[in-house]
Amino acid sequence: MALVTALRRLAHVRICEYTRKTAAVTFGARHTSLKSFTTSTQPLRSDNKVTVHFINRDGEKITVKGSPGDSLLDIVINEDLDFDGFGACEGTLACSTCHLIFDEDVYKNLGPVTDEEMDMLDLAYGLTDTSRLGCQICLTKSLEGMVARVPESVADIRQSKDGSS
Ligand code: FES
């Protein structure tokens, strides 16, 4: 089981790295002429960020930015967002605490769902037709301005198994 989890994690990291590199190459190609007129790359980096709006359990809207290739779990961690219990397994597909709900148009743009993610999603509270696990969603520029809703309750299958919750 630990080996399977490690392999899933490795595959996810590689997919995110590939997405990040592809986005960087695409961005660089589009802005080659712009680079020749600037002495600093800092503005280009900030332009390359993707804006994400989280709706917290209490309805609060939190707007943050992440880099293409970051997962939504990476953003929650990097921005120190206080979503109670979120990301308990650190993206190893061993819980469903990173459950997020999306608008249908965003959901269609999130990429394919793996069988392993589906298995974990089945254990999430408040599952909807547009639910995904945040640790499996990698940012792309096409997701600019996306809204991700944190469900009202959270289920951590790891705690349920040992009876501690
Ligand atoms: S953080 Fe556990 S499945 Fe996403």
Side-chain angles (χ1 to χ4, degrees):
M1 182 63 181
L3 178 60
V4 171
T5 301
L7 289 172
R8 285 180 187 151
R9 178 75 174 145
L10 184 61
H12 175 64
V13 169
R14 292 221 167 137
I15 289 169
C16 284
E17 283 176 1
Y18 174 78
T19 304
R20 192 180 329 225
K21 285 177 184 170
T22 302
V25 167
T26 303
F27 181 81
R30 285 186 187 153
H31 294 83
T32 300
S33 59
L34 184 62
K35 279 184 182 175
S36 64
F37 294 106
T38 183
T39 56
S40 169
T41 57
Q42 192 61 36
L44 291 175
R45 284 192 190 133
S46 63
D47 286 346
N48 199 29
K49 295 279 186 177
V50 179
T51 302
V52 178
H53 307 286
F54 286 97
I55 308 292
N56 204 348
R57 294 187 177 104
D58 60 6
E60 178 189 12
K61 185 175 184 179
I62 303 164
T63 299
V64 292
K65 287 182 180 284
S67 298
D70 285 350
S71 73
L72 293 179
L73 176 61
D74 292 334
I75 295 173
V76 169
I77 292 169
N78 293 343
E79 297 293 327
D80 199 23
L81 302 181
D82 186 21
F83 302 151
D84 188 36
F86 195 92
C89 78
E90 300 176 350
T92 58
L93 272 176
C95 68
S96 56
T97 62
C98 61
H99 175 206
L100 293 168
I101 300 169
F102 301 90
D103 293 334
E104 191 158 342
D105 58 327
V106 172
Y107 179 82
K108 288 177 182 171
N109 213 3
L110 294 179
V113 186
T114 64
D115 290 343
E116 292 83 3
E117 182 181 354
M118 270 303 204
D119 290 345
M120 277 299 135
L121 270 172
D122 285 342
L123 304 171
Y125 288 142
L127 188 66
T128 74
D129 289 342
T130 58
S131 290
R132 291 288 303 266
L133 295 179
C135 68
Q136 302 302 303
I137 306 297
C138 294
L139 280 188
T140 63
K141 284 300 280 179
S142 67
L143 296 173
E144 170 66 28
M146 73 188 299
V147 176
R149 288 178 176 75
V150 182
E152 286 182 19
S153 55
V154 64
D156 186 347
I157 185 63
R158 300 168 315 150
Q159 291 178 351
S160 301
K161 279 182 181 171
D162 65 12
S164 61
S165 168

